[in-house]
Amino acid sequence: MKERGCKTGRVKVWRAAAVCMLAICLLSGCKSSDKERQALRLQGIGELEAGNYEAAIESFEGALALSSKVVGEFELDILKYRAEAEYGAGDYGAAAYTYEVLAQVDKDRPEYRTRLIRLYILAGQPDKAMEGYKKLYEAAPDDGETAEILLSLGQALAEQDRFDEAMGLYEQAVNGGMKNGEIYNRMAVCQLEAGEVDLAIQYLEQGVQTGDQSAMDSLLLNQAAAYERKLDFHRALSILEQYTAAYGADEQVQKEMDFLRSR
């Protein structure tokens, strides 16, 4: 994971100093020209829109350093812009921290919770993401965004070879009534990784039965691969023929079909 917030040592030191300055200002109530902080805000927005993310972060932190000890609409606005700049810079850990601050000072809004989970995943912190996901699932188990976050979290866990934990989340979702073909596809992939080919085929068939067209191409390709692993070449070829009828055949699929026909 990218080291937090620093393209150069200078920026890291500056940002640490800015955080300290902000803390002092918030406690002491130091004030400065409203015109100056508004100018820094506009400067930061311009830098953000131009893709100059580190410069934008410095401008936003400069504006925060001129704020009073009361966190109001201006400070909340700047924090949101700063999180956007941190995200653009690829500093997902810093963006997550900013949203943690927002959740503390601006109520625990649902949009903060979902963005935090996504940022934890991007920052390579799946354990923190899982804590947030469990609360999200309890509150909105059938929501489309919940399913999207589950897929991202499951993928992050799988990339760390934590297939059992990913499977646990997937099973909870489908047993709770979530109908999403890609979830079944991910469950099947986990089982294929574990060598459980028959179980993988069951999940793939369940995924196809959902009729989820957004996942159907992946489901069919993985079905064909699973049957090929079972040495059921006829069934694998039949599925690929179904796939090509719907989606066409690229070079790799065509080669695979030629191979299956030769068996």
Side-chain angles (χ1 to χ4, degrees), residues 7-78:
K7 288 190 175 178
T8 67
R10 181 188 63 79
V11 173
K12 185 173 183 179
V13 171
W14 190 96
R15 188 172 300 174
V19 171
C20 292
M21 185 184 299
L22 173 60
I24 293 170
C25 286
L26 290 175
L27 289 172
S28 66
C30 66
K31 298 180 180 180
S32 185
S33 167
D34 182 65
K35 183 178 180 180
E36 186 176 355
R37 66 175 189 162
Q38 291 291 348
L40 282 168
R41 174 184 178 275
L42 292 175
Q43 177 178 305
I45 292 172
E47 292 162 340
L48 175 61
E49 292 175 346
N52 299 324
Y53 301 116
E54 289 291 347
I57 292 167
E58 291 187 10
S59 295
F60 294 137
E61 289 183 342
L64 284 173
L66 296 174
S67 296
S68 69
K69 64 181 179 179
V70 178
V71 178
E73 291 299 320
F74 178 84
E75 289 74 24
L76 294 175
D77 179 67
I78 293 296

Side-chain angles (χ1 to χ4, degrees), residues 15 57 61 81-92 94-96 98:
R15 188 172 300 174
I57 292 167
E61 289 183 342
Y81 275 121
R82 188 181 76 180
E84 186 178 345
E86 289 164 338
Y87 177 89
D91 196 346
Y92 306 122
T98 298

Side-chain angles (χ1 to χ4, degrees), residues 144-176:
E145 188 172 27
T146 302
E148 290 178 8
I149 290 175
L150 168 59
L151 291 170
S152 296
L153 176 56
Q155 181 65 28
L157 291 169
E159 288 173 356
Q160 294 186 358
D161 295 330
R162 297 165 65 177
F163 298 107
D164 289 343
E165 292 172 84
M167 277 296 298
L169 296 178
Y170 294 147
E171 288 173 344
Q172 177 192 45
V174 298
N175 291 337

Side-chain angles (χ1 to χ4, degrees), residues 71-234:
V71 178
E73 291 299 320
F74 178 84
E75 289 74 24
L76 294 175
D77 179 67
I78 293 296
L79 285 169
K80 291 173 185 177
Y81 275 121
R82 188 181 76 180
E84 186 178 345
E86 289 164 338
Y87 177 89
D91 196 346
Y92 306 122
Y97 174 76
T98 298
Y99 269 104
E100 288 173 356
V101 173
L102 281 165
Q104 291 174 1
V105 300
D106 189 32
K107 303 178 182 179
D108 189 14
R109 299 179 184 274
E111 62 267 28
Y112 295 162
R113 292 197 296 270
T114 55
R115 289 173 187 172
L116 259 174
I117 298 168
R118 293 181 186 277
L119 287 166
Y120 286 143
I121 293 169
L122 289 170
Q125 301 176 42
D127 291 314
K128 282 189 173 183
M130 200 180 313
E131 291 177 14
Y133 168 77
K134 289 177 179 178
K135 295 178 182 178
L136 178 66
Y137 180 80
E138 290 175 3
D142 298 324
D143 187 74
E145 188 172 27
T146 302
E148 290 178 8
I149 290 175
L150 168 59
L151 291 170
S152 296
L153 176 56
Q155 181 65 28
L157 291 169
E159 288 173 356
Q160 294 186 358
D161 295 330
R162 297 165 65 177
F163 298 107
D164 289 343
E165 292 172 84
M167 277 296 298
L169 296 178
Y170 294 147
E171 288 173 344
Q172 177 192 45
V174 298
N175 291 337
M178 189 179 289
K179 301 296 183 183
N180 184 295
E182 183 58 28
I183 292 176
Y184 284 103
N185 188 49
R186 299 286 184 84
M187 294 171 77
V189 170
C190 286
Q191 295 305 316
L192 287 172
E193 290 283 346
E196 299 289 344
V197 180
D198 289 332
L199 189 53
I201 288 173
Q202 290 180 30
Y203 285 131
L204 290 165
E205 289 175 350
Q206 288 177 291
V208 170
Q209 290 169 9
T210 65
D212 185 351
Q213 293 303 310
S214 66
M216 196 62 66
D217 56 341
S218 295
L219 288 163
L220 292 174
L221 287 175
N222 283 330
Q223 261 193 327
Y227 276 109
E228 184 176 339
R229 286 179 62 170
K230 281 178 63 70
L231 305 182
D232 189 343
F233 303 120
H234 177 75

